[in-house]
Amino acid sequence: MFTNRRDVQIQWGDCDPANIVYYPRYFAMFDDSTSILFEAAGCSKQDLVGVYGLVGIPMVDTGAKFYIPSTHGDWITIQSRIEKFNRSSFEVTHKVFKGEALAIEAFETRVLVGRDPADPARLQSVAVPAEIIEKFTRG
Amino acid sequence: MFTNRRDVQIQWGDCDPANIVYYPRYFAMFDDSTSILFEAAGCSKQDLVGVYGLVGIPMVDTGAKFYIPSTHGDWITIQSRIEKFNRSSFEVTHKVFKGEALAIEAFETRVLVGRDPADPARLQSVAVPAEIIEKFTRG
Amino acid sequence: MFTNRRDVQIQWGDCDPANIVYYPRYFAMFDDSTSILFEAAGCSKQDLVGVYGLVGIPMVDTGAKFYIPSTHGDWITIQSRIEKFNRSSFEVTHKVFKGEALAIEAFETRVLVGRDPADPARLQSVAVPAEIIEKFTRG
Amino acid sequence: MFTNRRDVQIQWGDCDPANIVYYPRYFAMFDDSTSILFEAAGCSKQDLVGVYGLVGIPMVDTGAKFYIPSTHGDWITIQSRIEKFNRSSFEVTHKVFKGEALAIEAFETRVLVGRDPADPARLQSVAVPAEIIEKFTRG
């Protein structure tokens, strides 16, 4: 499976009075990382909306285990990949490294959501298009 | 165990282009909810720092399952309780209700962290003071 | 002009490593305050979208002067009012009080934006409906 | 004066239900930009705390004018510079460009704050060290 790595510098505003990252900020970084993973695979979030007609890829289940804290100025590497595509959902993992050390492990299950053609105000799950899967699995 | 319920109105800025809550915002609401739970139990986060000398109660493991989305203007109820105290950590659950329906289930494991008296620059875990446990368990 | 006051408790995650509110969080509080002001006047942001067909009321000019810092646990009062309606924009002020003391003064100029009927992908400014003005000015 | 430019991609979570950047997010980007400006000048925020003993450089006055909106996937360039050093404060401007077009103009006045040696719980303004000014003004 296609994997993306990106380096992120922790900023002052990411940190709380204990001088470590306020953990909801990590979830925002992971959400960005999933978008950037899709873009790197050749299928940006803008394509998901504009080309594939999705409303979004909302979260249905997520979690994270935090092993090593970080503070402002620190650089972390976020390594993201899709572990599995299901019919209308997919599973992502994010591993955060500080140097060689594994600092955080996170997972996501997201569902593809579009509009019901019979009633555009209603949302419904959408099967993952084969060409999206192909973008992540091609050699 | 002492349980706290609070009503939160979803705001415009909590929502993303799909017009539903951007999920990292829920983790910020849950972090607030844990602080408010402590305050309601008679032991505010300010007390944790000022009275008990802690640096904070950082997250070591958290997760959430999202069943029903919400949008701006919606009111949700967040019901929070400590499920269990361990030696230097504790486990919290948050249940989000929209009306009667269970919309989100989340859990947290947090650890009590203070400064090493021998080297204040070093952080170390701290045993949960008995009087804090008592505040959550008294009839 | 109709004025709304609301009390907000500063939370842990609103604060930065200097243990005071991270100032972008105040702008989020002010954005919420403008929404809540509209709702209190009888015209919620949901109405702006659903009843009046607006896309939003985006910011065109904003600023804030910070006189007194706040930290987690502190309660502040945000007093918000529309100072003036222009043809398709309006001006809001927010005053933040800690007790009796004026802690922050902020202003906003926002514009009403809707879709061009001839081309829904294009946005255009929209004249403020008279009945919205009336909600804020009636005795 | 030393000027720093950096490219930022707008992310999904930066945007609101109108599908444009939620403006408080710009203030977070500007706060990051000021930190990155200092780091690029050879005096990081970590240095401000660790070397110069400051508690922070809190905002006393800020504002922004928004000319062109952006949405997720867009790239913007943030050009930041210190316009002027005062005794214990300094003034920053941020200009945001989309391609060649000026999209946002923002300014900041920040003050250097440290601990009162006679009472470390009290904060006080601190004169800008000459060597910091030099880092921004040397040819």
Side-chain angles (χ1 to χ4, degrees), chain B residues 9 11-13 25 31-32 35-36 39 45-46 49 55-56 72-73, chain C residues 9 11-13 25 31-32 35-36 39 45-46 49 55-56 72-73 75:
Chain B
Q9 188 182 31
Q11 297 298 329
W12 176 265
R25 289 293 306 146
D31 191 66
D32 294 353
S35 293
I36 292 166
E39 185 170 58
K45 203 140 181 178
Q46 294 73 52
V49 176
V55 173
H72 60 101
Chain C
Q9 188 183 31
Q11 297 297 329
W12 175 265
R25 289 293 305 147
D31 190 66
D32 294 352
S35 294
I36 291 166
E39 185 171 58
K45 203 141 182 178
Q46 295 73 52
V49 175
V55 173
H72 60 103
W75 280 92

PDB file of all heavy atoms in Angstrom, chain B residues 9 11-13 25 31-32 35-36 39 45-46 49 55-56 72-73, chain C residues 9 11-13 25 31-32 35-36 39 45-46 49 55-56 72-73 75:
ATOM      1  N   GLN B   9     -23.734  23.680  22.538  1.00  0.00           N
ATOM      2  CA  GLN B   9     -24.290  23.977  21.223  1.00  0.00           C
ATOM      3  C   GLN B   9     -23.156  23.967  20.197  1.00  0.00           C
ATOM      4  O   GLN B   9     -22.145  24.655  20.379  1.00  0.00           O
ATOM      5  CB  GLN B   9     -24.993  25.338  21.205  1.00  0.00           C
ATOM      6  CG  GLN B   9     -25.740  25.563  19.884  1.00  0.00           C
ATOM      7  CD  GLN B   9     -26.415  26.917  19.803  1.00  0.00           C
ATOM      8  OE1 GLN B   9     -25.939  27.895  20.374  1.00  0.00           O
ATOM      9  NE2 GLN B   9     -27.536  26.988  19.079  1.00  0.00           N
ATOM     10  N   GLN B  11     -21.146  25.046  17.173  1.00  0.00           N
ATOM     11  CA  GLN B  11     -21.015  26.352  16.536  1.00  0.00           C
ATOM     12  C   GLN B  11     -20.509  26.205  15.096  1.00  0.00           C
ATOM     13  O   GLN B  11     -19.937  25.179  14.724  1.00  0.00           O
ATOM     14  CB  GLN B  11     -20.063  27.232  17.351  1.00  0.00           C
ATOM     15  CG  GLN B  11     -20.578  27.531  18.759  1.00  0.00           C
ATOM     16  CD  GLN B  11     -21.886  28.313  18.757  1.00  0.00           C
ATOM     17  OE1 GLN B  11     -22.152  29.106  17.863  1.00  0.00           O
ATOM     18  NE2 GLN B  11     -22.725  28.068  19.756  1.00  0.00           N
ATOM     19  N   TRP B  12     -20.735  27.241  14.325  1.00  0.00           N
ATOM     20  CA  TRP B  12     -20.295  27.325  12.922  1.00  0.00           C
ATOM     21  C   TRP B  12     -18.833  26.883  12.757  1.00  0.00           C
ATOM     22  O   TRP B  12     -18.505  26.064  11.892  1.00  0.00           O
ATOM     23  CB  TRP B  12     -20.482  28.773  12.472  1.00  0.00           C
ATOM     24  CG  TRP B  12     -20.006  29.128  11.108  1.00  0.00           C
ATOM     25  CD1 TRP B  12     -18.774  29.668  10.787  1.00  0.00           C
ATOM     26  CD2 TRP B  12     -20.722  29.014   9.880  1.00  0.00           C
ATOM     27  NE1 TRP B  12     -18.711  29.896   9.440  1.00  0.00           N
ATOM     28  CE2 TRP B  12     -19.893  29.509   8.854  1.00  0.00           C
ATOM     29  CE3 TRP B  12     -22.006  28.560   9.548  1.00  0.00           C
ATOM     30  CZ2 TRP B  12     -20.282  29.553   7.523  1.00  0.00           C
ATOM     31  CZ3 TRP B  12     -22.396  28.599   8.216  1.00  0.00           C
ATOM     32  CH2 TRP B  12     -21.547  29.078   7.224  1.00  0.00           C
ATOM     33  N   GLY B  13     -17.977  27.406  13.603  1.00  0.00           N
ATOM     34  CA  GLY B  13     -16.549  27.126  13.489  1.00  0.00           C
ATOM     35  C   GLY B  13     -16.163  25.722  13.920  1.00  0.00           C
ATOM     36  O   GLY B  13     -15.020  25.307  13.741  1.00  0.00           O
ATOM     37  N   ARG B  25     -12.543  18.705  16.820  1.00  0.00           N
ATOM     38  CA  ARG B  25     -13.258  19.604  17.744  1.00  0.00           C
ATOM     39  C   ARG B  25     -13.941  18.808  18.860  1.00  0.00           C
ATOM     40  O   ARG B  25     -14.090  19.308  19.975  1.00  0.00           O
ATOM     41  CB  ARG B  25     -14.287  20.457  16.999  1.00  0.00           C
ATOM     42  CG  ARG B  25     -13.689  21.519  16.109  1.00  0.00           C
ATOM     43  CD  ARG B  25     -12.981  22.618  16.895  1.00  0.00           C
ATOM     44  NE  ARG B  25     -13.864  23.203  17.889  1.00  0.00           N
ATOM     45  CZ  ARG B  25     -13.469  23.648  19.082  1.00  0.00           C
ATOM     46  NH1 ARG B  25     -12.205  23.575  19.439  1.00  0.00           N
ATOM     47  NH2 ARG B  25     -14.338  24.155  19.915  1.00  0.00           N
ATOM     48  N   ASP B  31     -11.942  17.131  26.129  1.00  0.00           N
ATOM     49  CA  ASP B  31     -10.926  17.608  27.069  1.00  0.00           C
ATOM     50  C   ASP B  31     -11.535  18.635  28.021  1.00  0.00           C
ATOM     51  O   ASP B  31     -11.307  18.576  29.233  1.00  0.00           O
ATOM     52  CB  ASP B  31      -9.742  18.221  26.316  1.00  0.00           C
ATOM     53  CG  ASP B  31      -8.570  18.482  27.250  1.00  0.00           C
ATOM     54  OD1 ASP B  31      -8.003  17.512  27.772  1.00  0.00           O
ATOM     55  OD2 ASP B  31      -8.238  19.655  27.480  1.00  0.00           O
ATOM     56  N   ASP B  32     -12.326  19.552  27.462  1.00  0.00           N
ATOM     57  CA  ASP B  32     -13.047  20.502  28.326  1.00  0.00           C
ATOM     58  C   ASP B  32     -13.949  19.746  29.296  1.00  0.00           C
ATOM     59  O   ASP B  32     -14.052  20.104  30.477  1.00  0.00           O
ATOM     60  CB  ASP B  32     -13.928  21.442  27.486  1.00  0.00           C
ATOM     61  CG  ASP B  32     -13.135  22.383  26.592  1.00  0.00           C
ATOM     62  OD1 ASP B  32     -11.897  22.420  26.692  1.00  0.00           O
ATOM     63  OD2 ASP B  32     -13.774  23.077  25.769  1.00  0.00           O
ATOM     64  N   SER B  35     -12.152  18.411  32.273  1.00  0.00           N
ATOM     65  CA  SER B  35     -11.842  19.500  33.214  1.00  0.00           C
ATOM     66  C   SER B  35     -13.083  19.902  34.005  1.00  0.00           C
ATOM     67  O   SER B  35     -13.017  20.113  35.227  1.00  0.00           O
ATOM     68  CB  SER B  35     -11.341  20.739  32.456  1.00  0.00           C
ATOM     69  OG  SER B  35     -10.099  20.488  31.847  1.00  0.00           O
ATOM     70  N   ILE B  36     -14.200  20.015  33.305  1.00  0.00           N
ATOM     71  CA  ILE B  36     -15.443  20.452  33.946  1.00  0.00           C
ATOM     72  C   ILE B  36     -15.951  19.378  34.908  1.00  0.00           C
ATOM     73  O   ILE B  36     -16.507  19.673  35.966  1.00  0.00           O
ATOM     74  CB  ILE B  36     -16.472  20.842  32.858  1.00  0.00           C
ATOM     75  CG1 ILE B  36     -15.975  22.123  32.154  1.00  0.00           C
ATOM     76  CG2 ILE B  36     -17.874  21.024  33.444  1.00  0.00           C
ATOM     77  CD1 ILE B  36     -16.684  22.461  30.852  1.00  0.00           C
ATOM     78  N   GLU B  39     -13.938  19.869  38.002  1.00  0.00           N
ATOM     79  CA  GLU B  39     -14.404  21.044  38.732  1.00  0.00           C
ATOM     80  C   GLU B  39     -15.730  20.747  39.441  1.00  0.00           C
ATOM     81  O   GLU B  39     -15.925  21.125  40.601  1.00  0.00           O
ATOM     82  CB  GLU B  39     -14.569  22.226  37.761  1.00  0.00           C
ATOM     83  CG  GLU B  39     -14.938  23.506  38.467  1.00  0.00           C
ATOM     84  CD  GLU B  39     -14.866  24.718  37.548  1.00  0.00           C
ATOM     85  OE1 GLU B  39     -15.562  24.720  36.511  1.00  0.00           O
ATOM     86  OE2 GLU B  39     -14.125  25.668  37.873  1.00  0.00           O
ATOM     87  N   LYS B  45      -9.085  21.814  37.609  1.00  0.00           N
ATOM     88  CA  LYS B  45      -7.754  21.659  37.003  1.00  0.00           C
ATOM     89  C   LYS B  45      -6.781  22.674  37.615  1.00  0.00           C
ATOM     90  O   LYS B  45      -5.592  22.386  37.736  1.00  0.00           O
ATOM     91  CB  LYS B  45      -7.859  21.854  35.495  1.00  0.00           C
ATOM     92  CG  LYS B  45      -6.738  21.212  34.741  1.00  0.00           C
ATOM     93  CD  LYS B  45      -7.218  20.559  33.453  1.00  0.00           C
ATOM     94  CE  LYS B  45      -6.120  19.890  32.698  1.00  0.00           C
ATOM     95  NZ  LYS B  45      -6.623  19.212  31.479  1.00  0.00           N
ATOM     96  N   GLN B  46      -7.303  23.829  38.010  1.00  0.00           N
ATOM     97  CA  GLN B  46      -6.469  24.823  38.697  1.00  0.00           C
ATOM     98  C   GLN B  46      -5.987  24.247  40.034  1.00  0.00           C
ATOM     99  O   GLN B  46      -4.845  24.449  40.426  1.00  0.00           O
ATOM    100  CB  GLN B  46      -7.263  26.111  38.923  1.00  0.00           C
ATOM    101  CG  GLN B  46      -7.638  26.822  37.629  1.00  0.00           C
ATOM    102  CD  GLN B  46      -8.746  26.107  36.865  1.00  0.00           C
ATOM    103  OE1 GLN B  46      -9.795  25.801  37.411  1.00  0.00           O
ATOM    104  NE2 GLN B  46      -8.504  25.796  35.597  1.00  0.00           N
ATOM    105  N   VAL B  49      -3.155  21.738  39.559  1.00  0.00           N
ATOM    106  CA  VAL B  49      -1.859  22.410  39.401  1.00  0.00           C
ATOM    107  C   VAL B  49      -1.463  23.125  40.700  1.00  0.00           C
ATOM    108  O   VAL B  49      -0.362  22.947  41.219  1.00  0.00           O
ATOM    109  CB  VAL B  49      -1.900  23.412  38.219  1.00  0.00           C
ATOM    110  CG1 VAL B  49      -0.589  24.190  38.118  1.00  0.00           C
ATOM    111  CG2 VAL B  49      -2.192  22.689  36.900  1.00  0.00           C
ATOM    112  N   VAL B  55       1.717  18.949  36.925  1.00  0.00           N
ATOM    113  CA  VAL B  55       1.949  19.705  35.700  1.00  0.00           C
ATOM    114  C   VAL B  55       0.726  19.568  34.792  1.00  0.00           C
ATOM    115  O   VAL B  55       0.382  20.479  34.043  1.00  0.00           O
ATOM    116  CB  VAL B  55       3.220  19.204  34.989  1.00  0.00           C
ATOM    117  CG1 VAL B  55       3.394  19.859  33.631  1.00  0.00           C
ATOM    118  CG2 VAL B  55       4.438  19.482  35.865  1.00  0.00           C
ATOM    119  N   GLY B  56       0.079  18.436  34.865  1.00  0.00           N
ATOM    120  CA  GLY B  56      -1.104  18.205  34.036  1.00  0.00           C
ATOM    121  C   GLY B  56      -1.549  16.768  34.137  1.00  0.00           C
ATOM    122  O   GLY B  56      -1.026  15.992  34.949  1.00  0.00           O
ATOM    123  N   HIS B  72     -23.998  22.894  12.899  1.00  0.00           N
ATOM    124  CA  HIS B  72     -24.081  24.123  13.692  1.00  0.00           C
ATOM    125  C   HIS B  72     -25.527  24.436  14.072  1.00  0.00           C
ATOM    126  O   HIS B  72     -26.446  24.245  13.296  1.00  0.00           O
ATOM    127  CB  HIS B  72     -23.425  25.306  12.988  1.00  0.00           C
ATOM    128  CG  HIS B  72     -23.997  25.683  11.664  1.00  0.00           C
ATOM    129  ND1 HIS B  72     -24.853  26.740  11.487  1.00  0.00           N
ATOM    130  CD2 HIS B  72     -23.809  25.133  10.453  1.00  0.00           C
ATOM    131  CE1 HIS B  72     -25.165  26.829  10.215  1.00  0.00           C
ATOM    132  NE2 HIS B  72     -24.546  25.889   9.557  1.00  0.00           N
ATOM    133  N   GLY B  73     -25.661  24.854  15.329  1.00  0.00           N
ATOM    134  CA  GLY B  73     -26.983  25.105  15.888  1.00  0.00           C
ATOM    135  C   GLY B  73     -27.491  23.940  16.718  1.00  0.00           C
ATOM    136  O   GLY B  73     -28.292  24.146  17.632  1.00  0.00           O
TER     137      GLY B  73
ATOM    138  N   GLN C   9     -16.183  30.259  30.254  1.00  0.00           N
ATOM    139  CA  GLN C   9     -15.071  29.857  31.111  1.00  0.00           C
ATOM    140  C   GLN C   9     -13.892  29.443  30.228  1.00  0.00           C
ATOM    141  O   GLN C   9     -14.033  28.610  29.326  1.00  0.00           O
ATOM    142  CB  GLN C   9     -15.459  28.685  32.017  1.00  0.00           C
ATOM    143  CG  GLN C   9     -14.350  28.388  33.043  1.00  0.00           C
ATOM    144  CD  GLN C   9     -14.650  27.198  33.929  1.00  0.00           C
ATOM    145  OE1 GLN C   9     -15.322  26.266  33.518  1.00  0.00           O
ATOM    146  NE2 GLN C   9     -14.138  27.226  35.157  1.00  0.00           N
ATOM    147  N   GLN C  11     -10.851  27.486  29.080  1.00  0.00           N
ATOM    148  CA  GLN C  11     -10.479  26.091  29.305  1.00  0.00           C
ATOM    149  C   GLN C  11      -8.981  25.888  29.094  1.00  0.00           C
ATOM    150  O   GLN C  11      -8.316  26.694  28.440  1.00  0.00           O
ATOM    151  CB  GLN C  11     -11.298  25.182  28.370  1.00  0.00           C
ATOM    152  CG  GLN C  11     -12.804  25.246  28.627  1.00  0.00           C
ATOM    153  CD  GLN C  11     -13.211  24.766  30.017  1.00  0.00           C
ATOM    154  OE1 GLN C  11     -12.573  23.896  30.600  1.00  0.00           O
ATOM    155  NE2 GLN C  11     -14.257  25.367  30.572  1.00  0.00           N
ATOM    156  N   TRP C  12      -8.493  24.805  29.637  1.00  0.00           N
ATOM    157  CA  TRP C  12      -7.086  24.382  29.513  1.00  0.00           C
ATOM    158  C   TRP C  12      -6.594  24.485  28.064  1.00  0.00           C
ATOM    159  O   TRP C  12      -5.539  25.064  27.781  1.00  0.00           O
ATOM    160  CB  TRP C  12      -6.986  22.942  30.027  1.00  0.00           C
ATOM    161  CG  TRP C  12      -5.668  22.278  29.882  1.00  0.00           C
ATOM    162  CD1 TRP C  12      -5.253  21.464  28.857  1.00  0.00           C
ATOM    163  CD2 TRP C  12      -4.580  22.333  30.822  1.00  0.00           C
ATOM    164  NE1 TRP C  12      -3.989  21.001  29.105  1.00  0.00           N
ATOM    165  CE2 TRP C  12      -3.544  21.510  30.293  1.00  0.00           C
ATOM    166  CE3 TRP C  12      -4.378  22.972  32.041  1.00  0.00           C
ATOM    167  CZ2 TRP C  12      -2.328  21.338  30.965  1.00  0.00           C
ATOM    168  CZ3 TRP C  12      -3.171  22.796  32.701  1.00  0.00           C
ATOM    169  CH2 TRP C  12      -2.167  22.000  32.172  1.00  0.00           C
ATOM    170  N   GLY C  13      -7.372  23.937  27.156  1.00  0.00           N
ATOM    171  CA  GLY C  13      -6.966  23.903  25.749  1.00  0.00           C
ATOM    172  C   GLY C  13      -7.039  25.251  25.054  1.00  0.00           C
ATOM    173  O   GLY C  13      -6.612  25.385  23.906  1.00  0.00           O
ATOM    174  N   ARG C  25      -7.788  31.760  19.797  1.00  0.00           N
ATOM    175  CA  ARG C  25      -8.984  31.205  20.433  1.00  0.00           C
ATOM    176  C   ARG C  25     -10.005  32.302  20.746  1.00  0.00           C
ATOM    177  O   ARG C  25     -11.209  32.038  20.739  1.00  0.00           O
ATOM    178  CB  ARG C  25      -8.605  30.468  21.728  1.00  0.00           C
ATOM    179  CG  ARG C  25      -7.857  29.154  21.511  1.00  0.00           C
ATOM    180  CD  ARG C  25      -8.733  28.096  20.846  1.00  0.00           C
ATOM    181  NE  ARG C  25      -9.950  27.895  21.598  1.00  0.00           N
ATOM    182  CZ  ARG C  25     -11.125  27.587  21.046  1.00  0.00           C
ATOM    183  NH1 ARG C  25     -11.248  27.451  19.740  1.00  0.00           N
ATOM    184  NH2 ARG C  25     -12.186  27.416  21.789  1.00  0.00           N
ATOM    185  N   ASP C  31     -16.350  34.743  17.038  1.00  0.00           N
ATOM    186  CA  ASP C  31     -17.182  34.232  15.956  1.00  0.00           C
ATOM    187  C   ASP C  31     -18.418  33.533  16.522  1.00  0.00           C
ATOM    188  O   ASP C  31     -19.533  33.744  16.054  1.00  0.00           O
ATOM    189  CB  ASP C  31     -16.375  33.281  15.067  1.00  0.00           C
ATOM    190  CG  ASP C  31     -17.137  32.938  13.800  1.00  0.00           C
ATOM    191  OD1 ASP C  31     -17.358  33.854  12.973  1.00  0.00           O
ATOM    192  OD2 ASP C  31     -17.542  31.777  13.623  1.00  0.00           O
ATOM    193  N   ASP C  32     -18.204  32.709  17.553  1.00  0.00           N
ATOM    194  CA  ASP C  32     -19.343  32.089  18.233  1.00  0.00           C
ATOM    195  C   ASP C  32     -20.276  33.165  18.783  1.00  0.00           C
ATOM    196  O   ASP C  32     -21.507  33.043  18.698  1.00  0.00           O
ATOM    197  CB  ASP C  32     -18.874  31.226  19.417  1.00  0.00           C
ATOM    198  CG  ASP C  32     -18.063  30.013  19.009  1.00  0.00           C
ATOM    199  OD1 ASP C  32     -17.959  29.713  17.800  1.00  0.00           O
ATOM    200  OD2 ASP C  32     -17.516  29.352  19.918  1.00  0.00           O
ATOM    201  N   SER C  35     -22.578  34.598  16.227  1.00  0.00           N
ATOM    202  CA  SER C  35     -23.653  33.639  15.920  1.00  0.00           C
ATOM    203  C   SER C  35     -24.709  33.645  17.021  1.00  0.00           C
ATOM    204  O   SER C  35     -25.914  33.622  16.750  1.00  0.00           O
ATOM    205  CB  SER C  35     -23.095  32.217  15.796  1.00  0.00           C
ATOM    206  OG  SER C  35     -22.243  32.099  14.691  1.00  0.00           O
ATOM    207  N   ILE C  36     -24.234  33.642  18.256  1.00  0.00           N
ATOM    208  CA  ILE C  36     -25.153  33.585  19.400  1.00  0.00           C
ATOM    209  C   ILE C  36     -25.939  34.894  19.505  1.00  0.00           C
ATOM    210  O   ILE C  36     -27.111  34.896  19.878  1.00  0.00           O
ATOM    211  CB  ILE C  36     -24.354  33.237  20.682  1.00  0.00           C
ATOM    212  CG1 ILE C  36     -23.855  31.776  20.563  1.00  0.00           C
ATOM    213  CG2 ILE C  36     -25.184  33.455  21.941  1.00  0.00           C
ATOM    214  CD1 ILE C  36     -22.781  31.392  21.572  1.00  0.00           C
ATOM    215  N   GLU C  39     -28.697  34.533  17.022  1.00  0.00           N
ATOM    216  CA  GLU C  39     -29.720  33.611  17.528  1.00  0.00           C
ATOM    217  C   GLU C  39     -30.556  34.295  18.606  1.00  0.00           C
ATOM    218  O   GLU C  39     -31.790  34.169  18.624  1.00  0.00           O
ATOM    219  CB  GLU C  39     -29.048  32.351  18.074  1.00  0.00           C
ATOM    220  CG  GLU C  39     -30.053  31.309  18.504  1.00  0.00           C
ATOM    221  CD  GLU C  39     -29.399  29.976  18.836  1.00  0.00           C
ATOM    222  OE1 GLU C  39     -28.525  29.946  19.720  1.00  0.00           O
ATOM    223  OE2 GLU C  39     -29.775  28.962  18.229  1.00  0.00           O
ATOM    224  N   LYS C  45     -27.907  31.613  12.755  1.00  0.00           N
ATOM    225  CA  LYS C  45     -27.066  31.372  11.578  1.00  0.00           C
ATOM    226  C   LYS C  45     -27.712  30.293  10.693  1.00  0.00           C
ATOM    227  O   LYS C  45     -27.586  30.333   9.464  1.00  0.00           O
ATOM    228  CB  LYS C  45     -25.667  30.945  12.029  1.00  0.00           C
ATOM    229  CG  LYS C  45     -24.620  31.215  10.966  1.00  0.00           C
ATOM    230  CD  LYS C  45     -23.332  31.709  11.587  1.00  0.00           C
ATOM    231  CE  LYS C  45     -22.288  32.025  10.550  1.00  0.00           C
ATOM    232  NZ  LYS C  45     -21.052  32.552  11.163  1.00  0.00           N
ATOM    233  N   GLN C  46     -28.416  29.364  11.317  1.00  0.00           N
ATOM    234  CA  GLN C  46     -29.150  28.358  10.545  1.00  0.00           C
ATOM    235  C   GLN C  46     -30.243  29.037   9.716  1.00  0.00           C
ATOM    236  O   GLN C  46     -30.483  28.653   8.574  1.00  0.00           O
ATOM    237  CB  GLN C  46     -29.769  27.305  11.482  1.00  0.00           C
ATOM    238  CG  GLN C  46     -28.724  26.485  12.227  1.00  0.00           C
ATOM    239  CD  GLN C  46     -28.025  27.275  13.333  1.00  0.00           C
ATOM    240  OE1 GLN C  46     -28.670  27.878  14.188  1.00  0.00           O
ATOM    241  NE2 GLN C  46     -26.699  27.306  13.309  1.00  0.00           N
ATOM    242  N   VAL C  49     -28.782  30.780   6.650  1.00  0.00           N
ATOM    243  CA  VAL C  49     -28.557  29.848   5.543  1.00  0.00           C
ATOM    244  C   VAL C  49     -29.887  29.303   5.018  1.00  0.00           C
ATOM    245  O   VAL C  49     -30.167  29.337   3.816  1.00  0.00           O
ATOM    246  CB  VAL C  49     -27.626  28.688   5.995  1.00  0.00           C
ATOM    247  CG1 VAL C  49     -27.473  27.646   4.884  1.00  0.00           C
ATOM    248  CG2 VAL C  49     -26.261  29.230   6.422  1.00  0.00           C
ATOM    249  N   VAL C  55     -24.869  32.032   1.989  1.00  0.00           N
ATOM    250  CA  VAL C  55     -23.801  31.048   2.144  1.00  0.00           C
ATOM    251  C   VAL C  55     -23.095  31.284   3.473  1.00  0.00           C
ATOM    252  O   VAL C  55     -22.615  30.339   4.112  1.00  0.00           O
ATOM    253  CB  VAL C  55     -22.802  31.154   0.974  1.00  0.00           C
ATOM    254  CG1 VAL C  55     -21.583  30.262   1.199  1.00  0.00           C
ATOM    255  CG2 VAL C  55     -23.494  30.783  -0.332  1.00  0.00           C
ATOM    256  N   GLY C  56     -23.055  32.528   3.903  1.00  0.00           N
ATOM    257  CA  GLY C  56     -22.392  32.847   5.163  1.00  0.00           C
ATOM    258  C   GLY C  56     -22.287  34.344   5.341  1.00  0.00           C
ATOM    259  O   GLY C  56     -22.839  35.128   4.538  1.00  0.00           O
ATOM    260  N   HIS C  72      -6.762  29.432  32.323  1.00  0.00           N
ATOM    261  CA  HIS C  72      -7.797  28.392  32.453  1.00  0.00           C
ATOM    262  C   HIS C  72      -8.475  28.459  33.815  1.00  0.00           C
ATOM    263  O   HIS C  72      -7.833  28.689  34.834  1.00  0.00           O
ATOM    264  CB  HIS C  72      -7.250  27.000  32.163  1.00  0.00           C
ATOM    265  CG  HIS C  72      -6.144  26.535  33.050  1.00  0.00           C
ATOM    266  ND1 HIS C  72      -6.333  25.638  34.062  1.00  0.00           N
ATOM    267  CD2 HIS C  72      -4.831  26.836  33.040  1.00  0.00           C
ATOM    268  CE1 HIS C  72      -5.182  25.410  34.647  1.00  0.00           C
ATOM    269  NE2 HIS C  72      -4.249  26.119  34.054  1.00  0.00           N
ATOM    270  N   GLY C  73      -9.782  28.281  33.776  1.00  0.00           N
ATOM    271  CA  GLY C  73     -10.594  28.409  34.977  1.00  0.00           C
ATOM    272  C   GLY C  73     -11.241  29.774  35.096  1.00  0.00           C
ATOM    273  O   GLY C  73     -12.299  29.898  35.727  1.00  0.00           O
ATOM    274  N   TRP C  75     -13.411  33.043  34.356  1.00  0.00           N
ATOM    275  CA  TRP C  75     -14.671  33.335  33.660  1.00  0.00           C
ATOM    276  C   TRP C  75     -14.579  34.736  33.071  1.00  0.00           C
ATOM    277  O   TRP C  75     -14.161  35.673  33.754  1.00  0.00           O
ATOM    278  CB  TRP C  75     -15.857  33.278  34.636  1.00  0.00           C
ATOM    279  CG  TRP C  75     -16.300  31.885  34.919  1.00  0.00           C
ATOM    280  CD1 TRP C  75     -15.865  31.092  35.945  1.00  0.00           C
ATOM    281  CD2 TRP C  75     -17.236  31.108  34.171  1.00  0.00           C
ATOM    282  NE1 TRP C  75     -16.482  29.868  35.875  1.00  0.00           N
ATOM    283  CE2 TRP C  75     -17.333  29.845  34.807  1.00  0.00           C
ATOM    284  CE3 TRP C  75     -18.009  31.348  33.025  1.00  0.00           C
ATOM    285  CZ2 TRP C  75     -18.165  28.830  34.328  1.00  0.00           C
ATOM    286  CZ3 TRP C  75     -18.838  30.334  32.560  1.00  0.00           C
ATOM    287  CH2 TRP C  75     -18.906  29.093  33.199  1.00  0.00           C
TER     288      TRP C  75
END
